[in-house]
Amino acid sequence: IENLSVLVQFVKDLCPSFTKVSRVLVAREKELVHQAHRDILVRSLESVKSLSPILICSMKIFVQILSQGGKGVEDAAENRNYLAVRMSDEINEIIRVLLLTNYDEEAWDADNLTVMKKALNAIDGKLATAHDFLEDPNTVVGGVGEKSMRYILDYAKRIADRCLPPDSQAIHKMCGDITAMTNALCELRTDGKGSSAPAEALSRGISQKLRELIGLVSQGITNVERNSIQQPAHTLTGRMEQARTWRNNPSLNEKGLGFQAVQSIIDDARKIANSNNCPLVEQLAIQKLCSETENLARQLSDMCRHGQGNSYEALTIAQAISGKLQTLKPKDRKSDVKGNSISIRGRSINK
């Protein structure tokens, strides 16, 4: 698109289509039976919504500079292309998750690792350009080098979203630090101070933190690969097993996995109970049961953190949690949470 009239028509065509697609995706989210899939769909859709006006703005800037014959056409095109690629990546992620109609936990774990490793490979491909940007005080702000830095941070955050909690927090913190430092460096270079002592110090600091970030990302992927069992399972059966292991031995150091599994079961039950298909009486009963189970789980988790996991009180609470969870997943009672649906008086309501 190289003239304003074509851009205007493009936006007119895009807006109604985008609105329609957004509505369809919101509806599809409710059809996805696994929380992990729903989370990815929601995140990617929100990213597309936030990127679309920025992309249109970048296209307008490119057209204006091109029509006026001014300087900066290449940078404007690079900025437009960068945003277009990000938008394309998110759309491809939406398509990918919508194709995951059949769920297999081992296949999902493998796919999760594949996504992380692909992101790491993408980071490796941007490192050389990013380091060139840091080492050259006269490089163009907003050019390919800076874009490579931003790409690296975006990919690192995607990996962090799939890491274990400690690794995820460390990666996100490092990304935040690098982003702040990069913004400061760009400001100095924009003001013509790219060769100043503060700018050079920032460049060295960013380079060091970038190396640390790569180490954190690599370690995060390794930890997921080695300790994938330390994540809450994606199936109800798996989460029930993780919860059972914790209840049977509350003092076991499993880094909060059992509590997370119980909380995940409760969260899914609440979502199903709050669906339009759930009668009010059953909804209230399930919500009450969820609240009681959640309170007990928090009590047990607090006792475990204080080294009281083997106490009589802790074991009593663990038994109570077991009973509550079995009530949430009974064989012959009114309310039954089974895998991806809840059965109420013989009727099955899909998540």
Side-chain angles (χ1 to χ4, degrees):
I1 297 177
E2 297 184 348
N3 64 71
L4 194 57
S5 61
V6 176
L7 177 60
V8 170
Q9 187 60 49
F10 170 77
V11 174
K12 287 182 179 179
D13 294 338
L14 177 66
C15 289
S17 299
F18 182 73
T19 301
K20 179 180 178 181
V21 169
S22 296
R23 286 199 301 266
V24 171
L25 290 178
V26 169
R28 287 298 303 274
E29 177 206 345
K30 298 175 182 178
E31 296 175 7
L32 293 175
V33 296
H34 300 287
Q35 185 61 42
H37 297 174
R38 294 197 297 270
D39 290 344
I40 293 174
L41 180 62
V42 171
R43 179 187 61 78
S44 294
L45 179 57
E46 288 302 316
S47 295
V48 170
K49 287 180 179 179
S50 62
L51 284 171
S52 56
I54 303 174
L55 174 60
I56 292 171
C57 182
S58 70
M59 295 170 71
K60 181 180 178 181
I61 292 173
F62 169 76
V63 170
Q64 289 176 336
I65 294 176
L66 183 65
S67 62
Q68 295 170 2
K71 295 182 179 180
V73 173
E74 292 183 359
D75 289 338
E78 178 66 26
N79 186 55
R80 176 203 60 190
N81 294 341
Y82 164 74
L83 292 167
V85 169
R86 285 193 59 188
M87 176 85 82
S88 178
D89 287 344
E90 295 297 347
I91 292 173
N92 286 332
E93 185 74 349
I94 289 173
I95 294 172
R96 185 188 71 82
V97 77
L98 289 176
L99 292 174
L100 296 173
T101 53
N102 294 319
Y103 185 88
D104 176 82
E105 188 164 350
E106 292 184 0
W108 172 252
D109 287 341
D111 183 71
N112 200 32
L113 284 170
T114 299
V115 171
M116 297 171 77
K117 290 178 179 179
K118 284 183 177 180
L120 181 58
N121 289 335
I123 289 175
D124 290 339
K126 300 290 183 182
L127 280 175
T129 311
H131 281 300
D132 289 343
F133 163 74
L134 294 173
E135 294 171 1
D136 184 1
N138 299 315
T139 190
V140 177
V141 174
V144 176
E146 183 189 345
K147 293 296 189 299
S148 294
M149 283 290 303
R150 308 293 184 184
Y151 267 124
I152 289 171
L153 296 174
D154 285 344
Y155 280 120
K157 290 175 185 176
R158 291 187 187 185
I159 293 173
D161 290 340
R162 292 171 166 83
C163 284
L164 301 176
D167 294 322
S168 178
Q169 293 171 7
I171 294 171
H172 276 297
K173 183 180 184 303
M174 184 64 72
C175 286
D177 293 343
I178 294 175
T179 298
M181 295 173 71
T182 302
N183 291 341
L185 177 62
C186 289
E187 288 181 9
L188 288 173
R189 289 183 175 179
T190 300
D191 294 338
K193 301 177 182 178
S195 299
S196 65
E200 291 180 355
L202 276 172
S203 295
R204 290 192 298 270
I206 294 171
S207 294
Q208 176 61 34
K209 285 190 174 293
L210 196 56
R211 287 190 288 271
E212 293 175 10
L213 176 63
I214 301 305
L216 288 173
V217 167
S218 299
Q219 187 61 49
I221 294 174
T222 300
N223 289 341
V224 168
E225 195 165 15
R226 291 177 178 175
N227 305 295
S228 58
I229 193 173
Q230 293 302 316
Q231 303 176 80
H234 297 297
T235 61
L236 177 62
T237 300
R239 292 194 294 268
M240 290 292 288
E241 177 61 25
Q242 290 170 336
R244 185 193 64 78
T245 300
W246 180 47
R247 297 193 313 269
N248 288 348
N249 189 0
S251 62
L252 179 67
N253 181 18
E254 36 76 88
K255 300 180 181 179
L257 176 64
F259 174 76
Q260 293 176 45
V262 172
Q263 188 65 57
S264 181
I265 294 169
I266 293 170
D267 290 343
D268 280 349
R270 279 177 171 154
K271 288 178 181 178
I272 298 168
N274 290 333
S275 67
N276 294 331
N277 295 323
C278 186
L280 180 60
V281 174
E282 303 294 349
Q283 183 182 104
L284 294 175
I286 295 171
Q287 288 176 343
K288 180 176 181 293
L289 183 58
C290 287
S291 296
E292 293 172 350
T293 308
E294 187 173 51
N295 289 334
L296 289 170
R298 287 176 177 170
Q299 290 179 41
L300 182 58
S301 179
D302 288 340
M303 296 186 73
C304 291
R305 281 198 298 269
H306 290 88
Q308 301 172 355
N310 279 329
S311 66
Y312 175 79
E313 184 180 358
L315 296 175
T316 301
I317 293 175
Q319 291 178 353
I321 293 173
S322 179
K324 298 289 185 183
L325 290 179
Q326 288 305 314
T327 304
L328 274 175
K329 186 181 180 295
K331 297 296 183 183
D332 301 308
R333 299 187 185 182
K334 292 181 180 179
S335 302
D336 188 8
V337 178
K338 295 180 179 178
N340 304 309
S341 65
I342 182 169
S343 298
I344 301 175
R345 291 179 179 170
R347 296 185 298 108
S348 179
I349 301 173
N350 290 328
K351 287 169 61 174

